[in-house]
Structures are given as C-alpha cells and as structure tokens.
Amino acid sequence: MTTPSNHWPSDFVGRIREQFPQTADDFIQALDFQARVSVRLNKQKYRSAPNLAPVPWANQACFLDERPVFALDPLWHAGAYYVQEASSMFLEQAFNQVNVEGPKMVLDLCAAPGGKSTHLNSLIQDDDLLVSNEVIRSRVPILIENLTKWGHSNFVVSNSDAKQFGELGALFDVLVIDAPCSGEGLFRRDPEAANEWSPENAKLCSVRQRRILAESWPALKQGGYLIYSTCTFNPAENEENLDWLRSQGGFESVRIPLQDEWNIDELEHNGIYGYRFLPHKVKGEGFFISVLKKTEETTAVRFPKKFKTRLQRPASLPNGWIQTTENKIFFQHNDQLKFIPAAWEREILLLFEKLNLVKGGTHFGTLKKKDILPEHELAMLNERVSEAFELLELTQEDALKYLARDNFQLQLSGKNWQLAAFAGTPLGFVKNLGTRFNNYYPKEWRLRMQDRGNSGLWYRR
Ligand SMILES: C[S@@+](CC[C@H](N)C(=O)[O-])C[C@H]1O[C@@H](n2cnc3c(N)ncnc32)[C@H](O)[C@@H]1O
C-alpha cells in the first residue's frame, strides 16, 4: 500500500527537511515504498541455510522475495525463525561491542513482542541469563510465547516498571532499552502510524524515554553496556536523550564498526555516536541505535542472606527427558515440575522477591496422579528431547491440523508420548491412545486460520 507523500504530517516533513537538508526529497519519497520482508533463523531448529539474500549485519537472517502467509508454515509455529524487519537486527552489531568478562546478566527492558529478546537469546552464551521484561501486562503472553518457541532455557520474563529495576541496584551487565517511541520509522509499513503522530506526542515520548532511562540506569553495573534504540528519526527521542542522560551518570559512547555497503548513517552528537537507518538508504524500517559503556562507580546488589522463597526439590525426575541436568536446579511448584539455570539461582530468587516475575524457569512436566505429563515447553527446547520421545513426522497439511487442534486421524505406533514434528522440528506432544490420539498443543496458541489454501513454504523453492 502506498500513501502519497503529501499525506505525511506537515510538521514531520518540515523537521525531516531541516534534519536532512540534502536528501529530504529522497527520504520522503522512500516512505511510499514498503521495506523488504526479512526473517531471522533459529539455527538450532532451522538447520539448512536458505539460498536467499542475507541481511548483511546479522549472522542468521535473510530477505524474502515476498511476504508468505507465515501462519501456514509449521516451522514458524515451531520457533524455527522469527519474522523481523532487518534494521532492528543491527542489535547484533551493537551487542558485539559488549566486552564483559564471565557470565553476563542481560536485561531487555521493553521486550514485547520479543524480537530483540529472541535475538538476544541467540547472541548470549548458554551460561548467561536474559531477563526479558514488559511493563504492559496484556503484551506479556506474546512475549512468553515467542521466547518459549525460541527454545532456550536461560531466560526469565518479568512484568515490572523501569523503576523496580533501578531499585534493585547494579545487577545487570547489559541493559537493552528498545524504547516506546513516536514510530516515525514505521510510517512506511503502517501509514496509519502517521495519523497518531504529532509534535506533542513525540515530545511526550521523549519525556517518557528520559524517565525510563533515568529509572533503569542504576540497574546497570559499572563497565556494563546500555544499548538504546528506537524506531524513530526524532533527535529528541534519540541522541538528545542520551546526551541528557549525562546529567544522570557517567558513560562513554561506543562506536560500532560499519561497512560502507551497509548504507547505515553514523551520527555524532556531543561525543555520542548513534546509528540511523534511513528509508532511502536501507531495505529495512527506520531505526536508531546507540551503545554506551557505563563508567561511573555503582553499588553492587546486596543479596539477602536468606530468601523467603524456597525451591522445593522434586521427589524424582522423569528419565531421560532432559539431557544435561548438572547445570540446572529442578524444583516443584504445586504439581508443576520446573528448572532454572543453577548458576543464576540467587539472582532469580532475588527477582522473584523484588519484581513481578511471570515466568521464572522452564515448566517441563506436570504431576498427574502417578504420572508425569510432558509440557509443551519441553517440546520447544532447543536441547534435543527426542531421545526420550520419538519424532512423529507430519505432512504440512497434518501439521497445520495438529496446530489448529482439529479432529483428524494419524497412523500412530510405538510409545504413547510422541513429538509431532515437521521437517524434523518438534511442534508439540501427542499421546497415542491406540485407536486415536490426544493433541497436547496449547489451546491458547492454536492456529485459528480456517482458510489454509495455497500455503507455499518460502524456503522450498
Ligand atoms: C518498541 S516496542 C518493543 C519492541 C520489542 N523490543 C521487540 O523487539 O519486539 C516498546 C515496548 O515498550 C513498552 N512500553 C510502553 N510504555 C513503557 C514504559 N513506560 N516503560 C517501559 N516500557 C514501556 C511497550 O509495551 C512495547 O512493548
């Protein structure tokens, strides 16, 4: 869809002309063209590299020739890739500048629906911990769904305010703030976004961003990194906000090495470097990102001698469901069996007590009488669970029926719990009852699309 350029708000066009006097016409014209569709792959689930143009600044991402109906691709539901516009994937280059010794704790403060969080989960090491936070309660379920499907177990999800993080003290090595903004960079994807734009709204965004920055800043350790991004071009929401942050604390700006052919715009504002993705120069959406290294001294978090929360150890564990057990702490909460990464027990308990932690561990099984039912989170793990469960390979048509929880027949033999799979990637559990089977795909995630005609798979060409 295109919107004639004279439909953009005149105050916005005026500011763009001031901000980019040489290239404003190209800039504004480019807003009438859609950005290219791109996906970021989960290498642990999607194994063969597609023969498509790579996103140059991200290791596992490519541009698609057109937008398929992703909902009709079982691999999309399985967390084998995440549909994300390319500019945001530059987070990877920003994250590459992080130079911290030992296991890291990373906070993604404004995380829903999870584009940056799933990316961060791929970028961090297995012994790091990602705290993915979303303050708006109604946006938390999609964040949990996307992270769960992405298949790592070294993340927790919270629903807290920036201030609650600041009050913890300096706990984090990396703080990612992908701030709510006036969204100018999204005008070409969603021309409606332009209707919501006004100078007053942009000003409100800037004030809110300063509050988020100031309140969460104490949560970052000395020597830690702030990665700040928005999807707007407005200096008042970008470099000027970071300049203002100097009044709150000490930092140095970190430059990100660029390649000319990326066409990314580096700006420098009072010693702060920022990276802009302009619509007439890149295939992705409009985006801004900057990296700051905290230099001021901070007070380390004081952990309580005793936590109020106790992790009740389960009486027994199911055999062979989880391959590596040494690095995990298993616990039981009511009838739920869960685990957390053992190395982060203290930190996770602290978050349980101080924040609204809505997902603090991997729920892999549920006790039912004398049985343990495997949970969907177990099916989604990148750690292979297929040694304990046979894979039941489905056709695309049956896979979609499975994902929709339709009534349909399958030829089943073998063990009673099996992992329904597509292209070798698990979709979820089925239980073989002899003449029929039970579908354990989560009801709340089920595919609701009725019309499933013409469902091409973009990677099979
Ligand atoms: C740009 S979006 C985040 C997109 C996400 N990082 C991703 O890559 O998928 C900004 C997020 O900030 C959240 N938000 C809104 N108001 C906020 C506030 N006052 N403090 C923190 N986050 C806020 C929004 O709910 C939204 O999820």
Side-chain angles (χ1 to χ4, degrees):
M1 203 207 303
T2 62
T3 305
S5 45
N6 60 2
H7 281 200
W8 305 117
S10 57
D11 284 319
F12 166 71
V13 172
R15 204 205 67 231
I16 293 298
R17 289 203 181 283
E18 254 174 52
Q19 212 179 335
F20 305 100
Q22 313 290 329
T23 53
D25 283 337
D26 292 344
F27 184 117
I28 292 159
Q29 268 170 29
L31 293 176
D32 291 344
F33 297 93
Q34 295 273 314
R36 292 272 301 274
V37 182
S38 46
V39 299
R40 189 167 39 71
L41 306 174
N42 180 354
K43 266 296 177 194
Q44 282 153 295
K45 292 197 177 186
Y46 183 87
R47 288 166 214 93
S48 54
N51 187 17
L52 289 167
V55 175
W57 45 80
N59 217 340
Q60 314 281 5
C62 58
F63 289 104
L64 270 50
D65 298 331
E66 54 192 9
R67 177 175 281 273
V69 184
F70 289 110
L72 296 181
D73 180 6
L75 285 187
W76 177 71
H77 295 272
Y81 60 91
Y82 191 96
V83 183
Q84 187 179 31
E85 69 81 25
S87 307
S88 322
M89 299 182 199
F90 192 73
L91 171 70
E92 185 162 327
Q93 299 299 324
F95 193 81
N96 285 347
Q97 307 315 309
V98 170
N99 184 5
V100 175
E101 268 182 35
K104 294 180 284 301
M105 217 171 153
V106 177
L107 169 60
D108 184 6
L109 188 64
C110 310
K116 310 275 178 323
S117 270
T118 50
H119 199 173
L120 287 165
N121 226 173
S122 295
L123 295 172
I124 62 176
Q125 304 294 315
D126 287 347
D127 57 359
D128 295 335
L129 181 72
L130 171 67
V131 179
S132 184
N133 179 71
E134 171 55 47
V135 71
I136 298 180
R137 178 74 205 159
S138 60
R139 291 170 61 83
V140 171
I142 187 64
L143 176 62
I144 292 181
E145 179 178 340
N146 283 330
L147 275 167
T148 303
K149 288 178 172 174
W150 205 245
H152 295 258
S153 53
N154 55 340
F155 75 92
V156 295
V157 177
S158 57
N159 168 223
S160 297
D161 192 72
K163 192 158 176 252
Q164 290 173 272
F165 284 96
E167 286 168 356
L168 290 172
L171 183 62
F172 294 93
D173 302 283
V174 183
L175 166 59
V176 177
I177 302 182
D178 187 29
C181 71
S182 60
E184 295 169 1
L186 304 180
F187 283 5
R188 65 176 171 174
R189 175 167 79 194
D190 175 15
E192 285 303 306
N195 294 337
E196 282 165 32
W197 188 95
S198 69
E200 297 73 34
N201 189 23
K203 173 76 191 152
L204 281 178
C205 286
S206 158
V207 170
R208 179 168 58 179
Q209 289 147 356
R210 287 186 182 189
R211 181 180 66 73
I212 294 172
L213 280 164
E215 288 181 348
S216 59
W217 181 250
L220 186 62
K221 288 182 189 166
Q222 181 178 28
Y225 294 76
L226 166 70
I227 301 178
Y228 178 80
S229 62
T230 69
C231 53
T232 199
F233 310 107
N234 181 11
E237 298 178 62
N238 295 337
E239 60 271 23
E240 289 173 15
N241 265 351
L242 295 179
D243 200 15
W244 169 86
L245 188 63
R246 281 187 218 274
S247 62
Q248 308 292 305
F251 59 77
E252 59 194 39
S253 177
V254 179
R255 274 182 99 167
I256 304 177
L258 296 179
Q259 295 182 22
D260 289 345
E261 61 275 19
W262 292 354
N263 266 332
I264 295 167
D265 201 45
E266 183 185 59
L267 67 86
E268 192 260 336
H269 173 83
N270 294 338
I272 292 169
Y273 291 91
Y275 299 86
R276 272 188 307 222
F277 294 68
L278 304 177
H280 55 298
K281 293 175 88 180
V282 296
K283 293 178 194 160
E285 307 284 8
F287 186 60
F288 169 90
I289 194 163
S290 183
V291 183
L292 305 179
K293 182 174 182 183
K294 189 167 184 173
T295 50
E296 79 192 62
E297 259 182 55
T298 51
T299 322
V301 172
R302 299 222 347 222
F303 289 93
K305 284 210 179 80
K306 251 191 171 170
F307 287 101
K308 282 179 245 146
T309 321
R310 294 218 158 267
L311 298 182
Q312 187 197 337
R313 301 294 192 260
S316 66
L317 287 174
N319 227 342
W321 281 15
I322 290 155
Q323 275 178 9
T324 19
T325 50
E326 319 77 77
N327 57 357
K328 300 179 175 70
I329 289 178
F330 292 88
F331 63 101
Q332 183 175 336
H333 180 69
N334 301 325
D335 58 352
Q336 302 180 351
L337 295 177
K338 299 184 174 186
F339 67 80
I340 52 170
W344 297 103
E345 181 181 13
R346 217 171 53 130
E347 287 77 5
I348 292 175
L349 287 177
L350 182 79
L351 300 181
F352 257 122
E353 295 191 356
K354 303 277 185 191
L355 301 179
N356 184 19
L357 203 65
V358 285
K359 178 162 166 47
T362 304
H363 176 196
F364 65 93
T366 298
L367 299 169
K368 196 167 179 198
K369 296 188 184 141
K370 282 187 182 155
D371 270 348
I372 302 176
L373 310 185
E375 281 294 325
H376 191 68
E377 290 184 32
L378 182 66
M380 290 293 96
L381 284 182
N382 291 331
E383 274 183 53
R384 298 299 295 181
V385 290
S386 53
E387 278 178 20
F389 303 99
E390 277 173 45
L391 283 192
L392 175 69
E393 183 66 27
L394 302 183
T395 61
Q396 184 187 6
E397 195 184 339
D398 281 350
L400 292 175
K401 287 180 185 160
Y402 171 77
L403 292 165
R405 293 177 57 95
D406 288 351
N407 276 328
F408 71 110
Q409 298 288 317
L410 276 178
Q411 287 299 324
L412 286 146
S413 59
K415 290 188 192 160
N416 68 11
W417 285 104
Q418 299 183 23
L419 272 172
F422 181 71
T425 301
L427 301 172
F429 285 105
V430 293
K431 190 174 185 189
N432 182 3
L433 303 174
T435 51
R436 58 189 180 85
F437 70 94
N438 278 349
N439 186 336
Y440 280 81
Y441 193 74
K443 290 192 183 75
E444 61 283 12
W445 294 359
R446 104 188 143 78
L447 172 66
R448 291 197 163 80
M449 195 176 271
Q450 297 296 331
D451 175 12
R452 302 190 203 134
N454 191 21
S455 43
L457 301 175
W458 56 268
Y459 40 86
R460 287 192 185 159
R461 297 185 310 156

